[in-house]
Amino acid sequence: MRLTTFGDDAQSQAVVQRAVELNSWFTDQSVINSVRAIATDMLQPELLNEWLSHYPIPVAQPRRVLVIMAGNIPAVGFADLLCVVASGHAALVKYSSKDTPTMQYVVSLFAEYFDVREYDGGEQIDALLAMGSDATAAVLREKYVGVPMLIRASRSSLAVLSGDESASDLQGLCQDITAYDGRGCRSVSLVFVPCGYDFGGLLSALAECEVSKKWMQVYKHTKALCRMSGVSFIDATNTIVARSDEFPMNIATIHYAEYASQAEIDEWLNAHNDKVQCVVGRVSHPRAVAFGRAQHPTLWDYPDGIDTMQFLNSI
């Protein structure tokens, strides 16, 4: 499978180079990792068979479904594309200006087997899939009046620690925090810790985690602002760790909140469910994932917990 070895040949290396030139937040490795993850996490035959066995496919009446790609991390729109072609619909793709080369390459491979083509802006569509903010949703609803659409909002992710995590768990958590510069909805930026938590292991893991130049630039800038304004924080040498139970606004910062009981966490999650994408840790939650797996969603990990295949079967 060409996606498995993406980045090893001259053609895909050229794709990586163009993607990085177009989006300064991307790195060679982040583009390669994201595309290879498609092959390992989503396109394994046994996973596909199990996933699709829960749905009536192909659909009785194929529709033209427009997939509007996001571009905050490489190939982030692939899951929506896969749902459309797996259900039997025709996929029209509108690339993000921030991630055109990567997705053009992936789409070119899928177009060999499925009805997939680039959206020219003029073709009639029957349904729409997109990810974006409330403002984006409002614009799309106005532009495509009467068209069934599924738009997933911007969200963030968190972790729940017990204090008994292994060094491997904490290393995995640091990948959940820093991968793709923390710019994805599955990037962890808020951590719940038990009262009296010893931050030593987490700080060590963060300090050893390799981060990008842009991450370090934001970290240094944020640290300077915190010092000038007298804001209390813990310095992890590449990440600001500050007390708050709200998701931070910037990358290179993680917030932490202490808890005394599971009930406190449950109460917070219930109150903020519309802001949470996934929860990392050994917890009971419908969107819970293991340490180190936040950036590796399975086929069942639908954005915002909304079943995309059910939507596609309903149009």
Side-chain angles (χ1 to χ4, degrees), residues 63-85:
R63 306 289 187 181
R64 289 163 295 194
V65 181
L66 173 59
V67 181
I68 299 180
M69 301 286 182
N72 53 319
I73 64 177
V76 69
F78 175 79
D80 280 347
L81 173 63
L82 178 61
C83 287
V84 174
V85 298

Side-chain angles (χ1 to χ4, degrees), residues 18-75:
R18 291 197 302 271
V20 172
E21 290 173 351
L22 182 65
N23 192 327
S24 62
W25 284 101
F26 291 0
T27 65
D28 290 9
Q29 199 58 52
S30 70
V31 176
I32 292 171
N33 289 347
S34 65
V35 175
R36 291 187 179 185
I38 290 172
T40 57
D41 298 338
M42 296 186 178
L43 296 183
Q44 296 301 312
E46 62 275 14
L47 295 177
L48 288 168
N49 290 334
E50 172 62 21
W51 173 52
L52 295 176
S53 68
H54 298 279
Y55 303 98
I57 59 168
V59 292
Q61 179 61 53
R63 306 289 187 181
R64 289 163 295 194
V65 181
L66 173 59
V67 181
I68 299 180
M69 301 286 182
N72 53 319
I73 64 177

Side-chain angles (χ1 to χ4, degrees), residues 148-229:
M149 60 183 65
L150 179 57
I151 305 174
R152 282 62 56 88
S154 299
R155 295 196 179 204
S156 300
S157 296
L158 61 98
V160 178
L161 304 183
S162 66
D164 297 325
E165 287 73 26
S166 66
S168 177
D169 290 335
L170 296 178
Q171 290 167 0
L173 173 59
C174 290
Q175 288 300 313
D176 297 330
I177 293 170
T178 62
Y180 306 113
D181 280 323
R183 302 181 71 239
C185 63
R186 299 180 67 88
S187 299
V188 171
S189 57
L190 172 63
V191 180
F192 280 89
V193 300
C195 295
Y197 179 74
D198 181 358
F199 281 90
L202 178 57
L203 296 179
S204 295
L206 281 169
E208 294 173 2
C209 191
E210 184 177 351
V211 297
S212 70
K213 292 181 179 179
K214 279 199 172 270
W215 178 283
M216 285 301 296
Q217 290 171 353
V218 176
Y219 155 73
K220 292 176 181 178
H221 179 72
T222 304
K223 182 167 71 170
L225 290 177
C226 288
R227 284 178 171 172
M228 286 190 296
S229 59

